[in-house]
Amino acid sequence: MRIIFLGPPGAGKGTQSERICKDYNIVQLSTGDILRANRNLGTDLGKKAQSYMDSGALVPDDLIIEMIRVELKNPNLANGYILDGFPRTVPQAEALDKLLQELGQELDTVLVLEVPNEELLKRLTARRICRICGKSYHLIYNPPKIEGTCDVEGGELYQRDDDKEEPIMNRLKVYEAQTMPLIEYYSKKNLVDKINGVGEIDFIYNQIQAVLNKYI
Ligand code: ADP
Ligand code: ADP
């Protein structure tokens, strides 16, 4: 199965992707996670991306498209994947169409997770991430079993620099201006499945499963 996961920052894409990957035996490809790993390793790409990421702006399309071109060829994606955080602009979507054509692959669905901005702000300001595996928690809605520690890897939880109010507001604006047009782009291809992203994590996952089971 090949899925694109669209939705504003904080909609729950990472949280839901984790479950989808386990149950459908596919791999999550998160451009945000890959960029953060590059930044932590101090690679060229990481250095180039840093200032954009800190302010909540998008990293330039050419860097992202090159990165995805390499990632999509990874043999561990053979059983399918979920693209989380990519594409984010129309040029990225067009580049992805080309790449998929080259690889002879087709998408099954573009899941759009819808959550209003006031809820996103509450989710993002109290989000915490594992330094080792990248799993996300919420101080109130989805806390770890032991404060400050990841349930899975025992890693330290930290707050992303861009999960502060100013970069969050920027990211929400960027989503509306640059990423929301993709809903129209994929609607024209009849690929969009919308999911209401407000409610219990389990409840939302049940709705996602109902959609994905159509494509098995
Ligand atoms: P995204 O990957 O879309 O940016 P995350 O999966 O990291 O979003 O979720 C953002 C924050 O909201 C995290 O702190 C997460 O624990 C929390 N969260 C995810 N789903 C829900 C939900 N249904 N209700 C409340 N909080 C949620
Ligand atoms: P979230 O979904 O919580 O906003 P991500 O982890 O997906 O965050 O992205 C974090 C940052 O990484 C973005 O604000 C942006 O700077 C950069 N980024 C991630 N994916 C892309 C992309 N496809 N195009 C451009 N920039 C990206």
Side-chain angles (χ1 to χ4, degrees):
M1 188 148 23
R2 298 187 198 95
I3 305 167
I4 289 179
F5 216 160
L6 277 186
K13 300 180 298 296
T15 303
Q16 299 292 341
S17 290
E18 197 189 320
R19 293 169 183 226
I20 297 170
C21 288
K22 266 193 205 130
D23 288 347
Y24 295 86
N25 191 27
I26 58 177
V27 173
Q28 178 205 21
L29 208 55
S30 157
T31 41
D33 285 351
I34 299 169
L35 289 168
R36 278 185 289 281
N38 272 277
R39 189 195 52 198
N40 295 344
L41 290 169
T43 66
D44 254 13
L45 171 63
K47 283 179 196 150
K48 284 181 190 153
Q50 168 107 43
S51 62
Y52 299 100
M53 294 174 76
D54 286 346
S55 69
L58 291 182
V59 175
D61 285 335
D62 53 342
L63 291 178
I64 298 287
I65 291 165
E66 200 36 51
M67 181 176 108
I68 279 285
R69 182 190 302 282
V70 174
E71 295 288 339
L72 275 184
K73 292 189 177 140
N74 193 328
N76 77 347
L77 302 183
N79 200 43
Y81 48 80
I82 177 157
L83 299 180
D84 169 3
F86 176 88
R88 270 224 201 7
T89 63
V90 170
Q92 289 183 19
E94 289 168 348
L96 176 64
D97 279 346
K98 255 194 180 163
L99 273 173
L100 291 175
Q101 217 174 6
E102 282 167 30
L103 295 167
Q105 296 180 354
E106 277 184 21
L107 296 168
D108 290 292
T109 175
V110 176
L111 289 180
V112 180
L113 203 49
E114 297 181 310
V115 177
N117 281 0
E118 59 194 59
E119 171 71 12
L120 295 171
L121 202 58
K122 285 189 212 157
R123 290 187 186 182
L124 289 169
T125 46
R127 171 159 72 177
R128 296 292 182 272
I129 310 277
C130 173
R131 272 201 201 283
I132 299 175
C133 69
K135 184 175 162 70
S136 72
Y137 295 87
H138 189 278
L139 294 179
I140 299 156
Y141 303 144
N142 186 21
K145 294 195 181 88
I146 302 166
E147 201 187 315
T149 307
C150 178
D151 294 348
V152 186
E153 310 255 345
E156 180 202 3
L157 302 185
Y158 77 104
Q159 182 175 32
R160 276 169 44 179
D161 285 338
D162 59 347
D163 277 347
K164 311 265 163 73
E165 191 152 338
E166 204 181 305
I168 290 174
M169 298 316 280
N170 273 342
R171 284 152 67 205
L172 295 177
K173 277 191 211 140
V174 164
Y175 178 77
E176 278 170 31
Q178 307 212 51
T179 308
M180 274 183 67
L182 295 184
I183 301 175
E184 179 66 19
Y185 181 91
Y186 288 114
S187 291
K188 285 188 184 142
K189 296 177 185 279
N190 257 326
L191 279 169
V192 170
D193 284 297
K194 290 189 179 173
I195 309 274
N196 176 3
V198 181
E200 292 288 326
I201 293 173
D202 286 344
F203 170 74
I204 295 163
Y205 184 59
N206 289 341
Q207 296 176 69
I208 292 177
Q209 274 187 310
V211 167
L212 295 185
N213 289 344
K214 294 190 293 187
Y215 303 108
I216 291 177

